[in-house]
């Protein structure tokens, strides 16, 4: 009996020793993947913090460029759960000897390959999100003077409209300024979808030109 017990302990020790290195390496690969996910989520949060601030950034358009990562996050949850299951089974099998653990070691290597592939995908998203955030920050800075110019022009036009009250065409001017103000609100709220031919900055410039044209009409009208 003592001999069988000693043999069992020896088999267990040999089995656990055989899987110790592969399990440690697999744990490191798993942790690296989790760390990368945390970094990508952090970059995603930094992008989200830039949006919906009323500064003209096309929030919905920018968010659309991050949607692909959502599926990868879900894939990681599945892979992580599968890894934990295979890891547990590998260690349990090793307690019965090296030969029992061999097929589970192969399964563990398969999990490491899956995690490596997923880590490369995550790394790609991480790089693209850094680029997207930097581009978004530049766009916000570029839009600032255009927004200020459009708002200043609209305020001046509204003041001139008040001064021109009673003039012929006043109600048409008021309707025109109201429509321009609504467009400016949409622009500031990021609800205008940019295209390759007309960017958000083009919309602000166009609106300021239209305000200037209306101001010219009001200035030229007889009082």
């Amino acid at each position: 009996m003592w001999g069988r017990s000693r043999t069992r302990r020896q088999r267990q020790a040999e089995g656990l020793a055989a899987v110790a290195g592969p399990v440690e390496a697999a744990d490191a690969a798993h942790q690296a993947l989790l760390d990368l996910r945390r970094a990508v989520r952090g970059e995603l949060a930094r992008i989200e913090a830039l949006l919906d601030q009323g500064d003209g950034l096309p929030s919905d358009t920018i968010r659309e460029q991050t949607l692909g990562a959502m599926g990868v996050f879900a894939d990681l949850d599945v892979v992580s759960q599968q890894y934990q299951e295979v890891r547990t089974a590998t260690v349990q099998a090793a307690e019965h000897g090296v030969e029992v653990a061999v097929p589970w070691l192969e399964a563990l290597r398969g999990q490491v390959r899956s995690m490596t592939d997923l880590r490369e995908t995550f790394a790609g998203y991480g790089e693209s999100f850094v680029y997207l955030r930097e581009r978004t920050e530049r766009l916000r800075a570029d839009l600032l003077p255009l927004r200020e110019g459009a708002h200043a022009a609209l305020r001046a036009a509204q003041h001139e409209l008040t001064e021109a009250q009673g003039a012929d065409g006043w109600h048409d001017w008021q309707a025109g300024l109201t429509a321009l103000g609504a467009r400016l609100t949409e622009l500031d709220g990021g609800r205008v979808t940019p295209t390759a031919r007309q960017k958000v900055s083009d919309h602000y410039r166009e609106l300021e030109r239209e305000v200037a044209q209306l101001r010219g009409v009001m200035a030229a009208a007889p009082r």
Side-chain angles (χ1 to χ4, degrees), residues 152-178 180-181 207-223:
L154 191 62
R155 285 194 300 270
Q158 288 167 338
H159 175 73
E160 292 163 4
L161 179 68
T162 300
E163 294 293 316
Q165 193 162 7
D168 290 341
W170 188 89
H171 291 289
D172 290 337
W173 303 338
Q174 182 188 44
L177 277 181
T178 299
L180 288 168
L207 191 144
E208 187 173 356
R209 282 195 299 269
E210 292 183 25
V211 172
Q213 290 170 359
L214 183 54
R215 292 177 68 188
V217 170
M218 289 192 293
R223 306 292 171 91

Side-chain angles (χ1 to χ4, degrees), residues 6 26 37 50 83-84 92 114 159 200 208:
R6 185 167 56 251
R37 177 178 64 176
L50 295 171
Y83 167 70
Q84 294 293 352
Q92 290 175 345
S114 296
H159 175 73
V200 175
E208 187 173 356

